[in-house]
Amino acid sequence: MTHETASRSSPGPLDPSRCAVALDTDDLSRALELARALRPWFCIAKVGLELFGAVGPGAVRSLRDEGFEVFVDLKLHDIPNTVARAARALGTLGARYVTLHASGGADMLRAGVEGLGGAARPAGTEPPVALAITVLTSDSVAAPELLAGRARLASAASCGGVVCAVADLPAIRSAAPDLLRVTPGIRPRGAAADDQARVATPAGAVAAGADIVVIGRPVTAVEDPAAAAEALLAG
């Protein structure tokens, strides 16, 4: 799936190519069990700090072997040289999406993009996409001018997309309409927000302009993940 396909051609909110499952566990066996159970609804598997910290590159390789596009969400934020090298290493693993903090500035973002672009990625994998983190969904407030500035920064640095709350999409779309828009904080209607301050339903996210929705605990921290995914992504 190309970044353009994900962002502009996927048919509707239920398309698995637009859905990323957040595998927030420190157990690779559990992550793979969840990924396999949820495969009908998700084409993208997100590896965050917890799983990568416990397992490292093996998590990315294992999920790629299962046929998933892998979203490595480490939120890189360091000096440009370090970010470039880290991004290159992640691209070499075959990561499809890699997150960088937009607050790191233009030089850092550009270094991350260049690092990904210089990666010797595995055969048959799509070019990696740099995603700039705008404002975390755990923050209760995101000023439109801050969002717009970070979106423009990401675009100028040649990032492929941004990560933002659904409520932030109008500001992002206005400032940088060509960026891929990835939205975490997805919950069933009426569900607890947990530590997410700004949440939305999958259908609400797509209607607002999200290209990819990221879903974690509502489908991974339940007794029957498959049933939860079916119910949540039913439209």
Side-chain angles (χ1 to χ4, degrees), residues 79-217:
I79 63 172
N81 184 63
T82 298
V83 168
R85 290 175 179 271
R88 185 177 298 112
L90 295 172
T92 299
L93 291 176
R96 179 68 170 109
Y97 304 99
V98 173
T99 54
L100 320 165
H101 264 296
S103 60
D107 289 345
M108 191 210 78
L109 290 176
R110 194 172 296 110
V113 170
E114 291 172 357
L116 284 175
R121 65 183 189 275
T125 58
E126 297 281 355
V129 177
L131 299 175
I133 302 288
T134 54
V135 176
L136 297 176
T137 51
S138 57
D139 290 353
S140 59
V141 177
E145 58 272 20
L146 176 63
L147 292 165
R150 289 183 174 174
R152 286 191 290 266
L153 193 68
S155 181
S158 298
C159 291
V162 294
V163 180
C164 66
V166 171
D168 302 340
L169 287 169
I172 298 293
R173 292 177 72 181
S174 177
D178 292 334
L179 290 176
L180 186 74
R181 298 177 289 270
V182 180
T183 55
I186 302 301
R187 296 286 187 275
R189 190 177 303 279
D194 300 311
D195 56 354
Q196 301 283 351
R198 294 172 293 142
V199 300
T201 64
V206 173
D211 298 308
I212 295 174
V213 296
V214 181
I215 305 170
R217 282 168 285 188

Side-chain angles (χ1 to χ4, degrees), residues 31-91:
L32 292 174
E33 178 186 11
L34 285 166
R36 291 166 185 151
L38 293 166
R39 187 66 177 86
W41 298 277
F42 296 89
C43 286
I44 306 165
K46 186 171 83 70
V47 175
L49 289 166
E50 185 177 3
L51 185 56
F52 197 89
V55 183
V60 180
R61 295 192 186 102
S62 295
L63 288 161
R64 272 204 313 106
D65 289 346
E66 291 288 332
F68 288 90
E69 292 190 321
V70 184
F71 176 171
V72 180
D73 184 22
L74 301 185
K75 301 178 176 67
L76 301 179
H77 190 174
D78 211 311
I79 63 172
N81 184 63
T82 298
V83 168
R85 290 175 179 271
R88 185 177 298 112
L90 295 172

